[in-house]
Amino acid sequence: MRHFLDFEKPIADLEGKIEELKHLSGSGEINIADEVGKLQAKVERQLRSTYQRLTAWQKVQVARHPDRPHAVDAIAHLIEDFQPLAGDRGYADDAAIVGGLGRFRGRSVVVIGTEKGATTEQRVRRNFGMARPEGYRKARRLMQMADRFGLPILTFVDTAGAYPGVDAEARGQAEAIARSIETCLAVRVPLVAAIIGEGGSGGAVALAAGNRVLMFEHAVYSVISPEGCASILWRSAEFAKDAAEALKMTAQDLERLGVIDGIVPEPLGGAHREPGKALDSLAKAMGDALDDLAKRDGGQLRAERRDKFLEMGAVEG
């Protein structure tokens, strides 16, 4: 059963009518193909109208849609012969971070992603995509392995942020994130990052300090969630909509500010409506980025990556 967001109620009503008519036509007593066609055209017009003028808060809702493709879906769709690798070789394996070796368009690559999980059981096991220190240390280990063997790195980011629990802080959460970012900036191989849903705080940057940072059209990327920002500034999460606007967290805002390098278009109505089509677009964008980066040597890749992030936020004059 399709999940509809609050602002999609008119679309839900129209699609409900289509399902009712299809059920009637299944009885063989009536032919209503023309009426169904008219309603489907209305749905498309409504989707186009709605998704062309999404607010920042509505984009946050789309980015969190339960049917949106996750990191494991992207890996399954884009990567051949994927071989998962587990553990940080120091404490444990964090299920919120998935990673391993595989082949992308004929290239051997190392793949890393944050995974929220699709079912309740999976979400609990993966801690809703909020990694602990051992997750970031696993990511760092995989990036260092990629660097050692000259393999490009692909990352898929979808997390509300790193896990803020006491146990994570006790095991050095901030240090683990900082080391992961440091490793992103140090490797001498191409690193292409994709924000496919939520890119939250340092938990996202830990995997996204790449040569190319791509974002799905309706993904979001910010230093803090709108609810968290509203709780700090206004002492109430009720102001999350205002915070979402002020944070400039949409792909369009971030491309304009120079924080990301490209926007990957989503199918009409969002990636959750046609995940395969969305992931095909992502595959092309990541493939094009890798083709371009493959022309550079390791020193140039590292220097360009570092310069890119050092220049962010610089004020001239």
Side-chain angles (χ1 to χ4, degrees):
M1 187 175 179
R2 180 168 284 167
H3 176 91
F4 290 95
L5 301 169
D6 292 342
F7 62 85
E8 293 181 314
K9 189 178 184 306
I11 300 166
D13 292 340
L14 286 170
E15 293 201 340
K17 290 177 182 177
I18 290 173
E19 289 303 316
E20 289 177 11
L21 288 172
K22 286 181 177 179
H23 180 72
L24 287 173
S25 66
S27 64
E29 298 174 1
I30 186 171
N31 186 351
I32 48 154
D34 290 343
E35 187 63 28
V36 168
K38 290 177 183 177
L39 286 173
Q40 286 177 331
K42 284 184 179 179
V43 167
E44 185 171 330
R45 287 196 298 271
Q46 187 69 46
L47 279 170
R48 196 173 302 280
S49 172
T50 299
Y51 275 78
Q52 281 178 344
R53 51 186 174 84
L54 290 179
T55 66
W57 177 243
Q58 287 171 336
K59 281 184 177 283
V60 172
Q61 293 175 274
V62 176
R64 295 172 176 172
H65 197 288
D67 298 331
R68 195 172 179 83
H70 292 177
V72 294
D73 301 312
I75 291 170
H77 195 89
L78 274 64
I79 308 300
E80 297 178 350
D81 303 322
F82 178 64
Q83 178 60 52
L85 299 173
D88 66 344
R89 299 297 186 267
Y91 182 79
D93 181 49
D94 187 350
I97 299 282
V98 295
L101 294 160
R103 296 182 69 80
F104 173 68
R105 294 190 163 188
R107 284 190 177 95
S108 294
V109 295
V110 167
V111 188
I112 309 169
T114 43
E115 175 58 36
K116 290 180 175 179
T119 66
T120 301
E121 183 181 354
Q122 289 174 2
R123 287 172 187 144
V124 170
R125 185 171 71 85
R126 297 189 184 277
N127 203 34
F128 299 86
M130 295 185 292
R132 294 177 167 87
E134 50 270 25
Y136 296 111
R137 289 174 181 138
K138 173 168 70 173
R140 186 183 180 213
R141 178 176 74 83
L142 294 177
M143 285 188 278
Q144 289 173 334
M145 181 187 72
D147 195 35
R148 190 177 306 120
F149 291 103
L151 302 176
I153 302 167
L154 303 181
T155 67
F156 302 96
V157 177
D158 184 18
T159 179
Y163 182 59
V166 174
D167 60 327
E169 297 298 336
R171 293 198 297 278
Q173 182 72 292
E175 184 270 348
I177 291 171
R179 292 291 185 185
S180 185
I181 296 171
E182 178 187 47
T183 305
C184 284
L185 296 175
V187 295
R188 299 168 62 89
V189 295
L191 198 168
V192 179
I195 315 297
I196 59 175
E198 284 187 277
S201 191
V205 181
L207 301 184
N211 295 94
R212 297 287 185 275
V213 181
L214 307 172
M215 272 184 80
F216 264 141
E217 181 182 358
H218 302 307
V220 292
Y221 188 23
S222 177
V223 69
I224 192 173
S225 71
E227 296 90 339
C229 179
S231 296
I232 293 170
L233 295 182
W234 292 285
R235 308 282 182 180
S236 172
E238 292 179 4
F239 292 91
K241 293 181 182 179
D242 301 287
E245 292 291 343
L247 285 166
K248 304 299 181 188
M249 62 196 306
T250 69
Q252 294 72 25
D253 285 329
L254 294 168
E255 184 180 47
R256 188 163 53 250
L257 292 168
V259 175
I260 65 168
D261 302 295
I263 298 174
V264 180
E266 298 186 27
L268 182 62
H272 54 277
R273 282 188 164 258
E274 296 183 78
K277 188 175 179 180
L279 292 173
D280 285 340
S281 296
L282 180 61
K284 182 182 184 308
M286 297 186 92
D288 290 345
L290 275 185
D291 288 342
D292 181 50
L293 294 170
K295 302 170 187 175
R296 297 160 171 77
D297 63 30
Q300 189 178 1
L301 287 167
R302 181 167 63 177
E304 287 183 0
R305 193 185 310 122
R306 289 180 173 183
D307 290 343
K308 169 185 168 181
F309 283 91
L310 285 171
E311 289 170 4
M312 287 184 186
V315 178
E316 295 184 2

